[in-house]
Amino acid sequence: MIEKINQLKAEILALNPTTAEEVENIRINFLSKKGKLTEIFNDFRNVSSEDKKTIGKEINTIKSELQTKLENWKTDLQSTKSSSANDLDLTQQEIDMSFGSRHPVSLIKNELCEIFTRLGFTIEEGPEIEDDWHVFAALNFPDEHPARDMQDTFFIEKHPDVLLRTHTSSIQVRCMEKKQLPIRVICPGRVFRNEAISARAHCIFHQIEGLYIDKNVSFADLQQTLLHFARETFGNDTKIRLRPSYFPFTEPSAEMDISCKLCGGKGCNICKHTGWLEVLGCGMVDPNVLEINGIDSKVYSGYAFGLGLERIAMLKYSVSDLRLYFENDVRFLNQFKNY
Ligand code: PHE
């Protein structure tokens, strides 16, 4: 009996299972009904009563030690198993790694910035909180001009000279102040107007305005630049038309329409059956503006234009309601993933 026990002990000591299957086999081999250890327990009946105490203790220790060993092997093999490459679980649900998309206004802004930088324009930015000088006075707005009216402009209550810019032309004034001529800049940014929010208007929107001042800048230069912009943005078959208009800072002034890309110029609901869509304001920089900003209008001339990014994005992506841009509904935003 003692011999059998010692042999068993040695056998257990030599065990070194490497798979879960082997661990299970050891359990069966030693602890099942016909297992080696169970056999010894059966033999125990025949042990003389004076040996029963020591031998009983001995085989009980062997049993509990083996049980702990089996447990330890099991957990050890499990932890190495889960980090092994063979454990790849192809049924596991994928983690959502989808990327967000750029906002349509940012997409258009980036696209227009690229188009104009390819033409040699540089990008300038400026403050959203401005003063009367940079938004109005330096741009030849007469004191009584309706655009200064409280209805259009958000003024800061206690400082009538401090206001939220209503257009990014204020950045152009800041460029003229630096007087590094020639100037060829585009000014993207957020602007604010005290307007009732509707499908076609919002009190916050985004603009890009352009300014080119050099010797001999002509209206033909403006027209060609805008035609290029229209074709690059809306497709090569896009036509433009300029209608006379008025802005305090340009003379002559014009508004530019593009041929309606939805109906191809035949007339539809979007273009109100005219075949044309209004996209921007433009003109030759008024000599008064050049003089106010210390630029000699006898030597220099320039053109300027300004457009609303939401409007361009609406036309390009066929968005029917301006408010969608500000709601940040992912169902709307997700539609711009492939642009
Ligand atoms: N600043 C004008 C606006 O916000 C747009 C414009 C810019 C028109 C430059 C003409 C020339 O409406």
Side-chain angles (χ1 to χ4, degrees):
M1 183 81 185
I2 304 278
E3 209 174 286
K4 251 189 172 179
I5 289 174
N6 285 339
Q7 204 188 329
L8 203 70
K9 268 173 143 179
E11 226 178 289
I12 291 174
L13 206 67
L15 289 171
N16 185 22
T18 51
T19 64
E21 211 181 341
E22 280 175 37
V23 178
E24 178 60 6
N25 283 341
I26 292 169
R27 193 193 61 80
I28 296 169
N29 208 359
F30 288 86
L31 296 173
S32 68
K33 264 191 183 163
K34 286 180 183 152
K36 290 177 183 173
L37 198 61
T38 323
E39 229 171 73
I40 289 186
F41 272 100
N42 291 340
D43 291 350
F44 185 66
R45 278 186 244 123
N46 311 324
V47 173
S48 62
S49 46
E50 65 262 30
D51 288 342
K52 263 203 165 104
K53 205 177 164 199
T54 40
I55 291 184
K57 203 175 164 191
E58 181 80 14
I59 51 176
N60 268 324
T61 338
I62 295 175
K63 191 183 174 186
S64 67
E65 271 177 13
L66 181 61
Q67 277 168 336
T68 354
K69 273 191 174 192
L70 285 168
E71 280 310 309
N72 289 346
W73 285 326
K74 252 194 213 168
T75 45
D76 281 1
L77 285 171
Q78 244 161 23
S79 62
T80 45
K81 193 181 154 206
S82 59
S83 61
S84 85
N86 296 337
D87 197 34
L88 189 66
D89 181 1
L90 294 174
T91 63
Q92 196 173 22
Q93 274 211 326
E94 66 170 322
I95 304 163
D96 186 7
M97 292 282 279
S98 54
F99 291 107
S101 50
R102 284 205 197 283
H103 193 281
V105 172
S106 301
L107 289 171
I108 284 289
K109 183 190 119 179
N110 293 345
E111 190 179 336
L112 298 199
C113 284
E114 269 176 40
I115 292 171
F116 284 107
T117 41
R118 280 201 296 272
L119 291 177
F121 285 79
T122 53
I123 299 164
E124 287 288 334
E125 289 180 313
E128 292 178 348
I129 302 171
E130 270 288 7
D131 49 30
D132 183 278
W133 174 261
H134 290 94
V135 178
F136 298 129
L139 287 163
N140 197 35
F141 275 79
D143 273 346
E144 72 285 4
H145 195 278
R148 291 175 175 224
D149 198 293
M150 296 290 285
Q151 280 165 13
D152 291 322
T153 310
F154 289 112
F155 291 92
I156 307 295
E157 214 172 12
K158 294 207 172 78
H159 298 274
D161 191 37
V162 181
L163 47 101
L164 297 179
R165 67 182 179 197
T166 56
H167 52 185
T168 55
S169 305
S170 52
I171 306 172
Q172 304 181 344
V173 174
R174 289 178 182 278
C175 293
M176 287 188 272
E177 272 170 2
K178 289 189 214 148
K179 292 195 187 60
Q180 284 159 343
L181 295 159
I183 296 170
R184 204 202 297 247
V185 291
I186 49 162
C187 311
R190 193 158 59 150
V191 299
F192 309 84
R193 286 185 200 180
N194 193 1
E195 302 222 24
I197 296 170
S198 72
R200 296 174 61 89
H202 208 286
C203 55
I204 304 173
F205 59 100
H206 298 77
Q207 283 190 324
I208 283 190
E209 300 221 345
L211 175 70
Y212 177 36
I213 299 176
D214 203 347
K215 290 173 184 158
N216 302 318
V217 178
S218 71
F219 200 88
D221 295 329
L222 169 65
Q223 213 170 340
Q224 238 6 76
T225 308
L226 293 180
L227 177 63
H228 177 77
F229 145 73
R231 287 182 171 169
E232 288 283 288
T233 314
F234 295 103
N236 255 338
D237 52 352
T238 310
K239 295 186 191 70
I240 63 165
R241 118 179 143 175
L242 293 166
R243 282 177 291 106
S245 185
Y246 171 78
F247 298 102
F249 35 87
T250 45
E251 182 58 38
S253 303
E255 258 161 275
M256 185 178 95
D257 299 338
I258 56 162
S259 50
C260 179
K261 64 166 196 136
L262 289 168
C263 61
K266 285 190 212 89
C268 67
N269 275 343
I270 302 295
C271 61
K272 296 196 205 113
H273 303 283
T274 62
W276 296 96
L277 298 161
E278 188 189 318
V279 290
L280 58 80
C282 60
M284 299 307 289
V285 179
D286 193 306
N288 273 350
V289 173
L290 296 176
E291 294 296 336
I292 294 171
N293 291 284
I295 296 169
D296 188 347
S297 63
K298 285 183 203 74
V299 183
Y300 287 96
S301 57
Y303 66 65
F305 57 87
L307 53 86
L309 289 173
E310 280 80 1
R311 173 138 185 90
I312 304 289
M314 273 175 116
L315 299 176
K316 181 145 180 167
Y317 303 130
S318 305
V319 176
S320 57
D321 194 320
L322 199 81
R323 288 167 289 198
L324 288 165
Y325 292 123
F326 300 92
E327 282 165 7
N328 283 334
D329 186 328
V330 284
R331 289 168 302 180
F332 172 70
L333 296 175
N334 274 341
Q335 295 176 55
F336 297 92
K337 275 200 166 146
N338 299 325
Y339 286 107

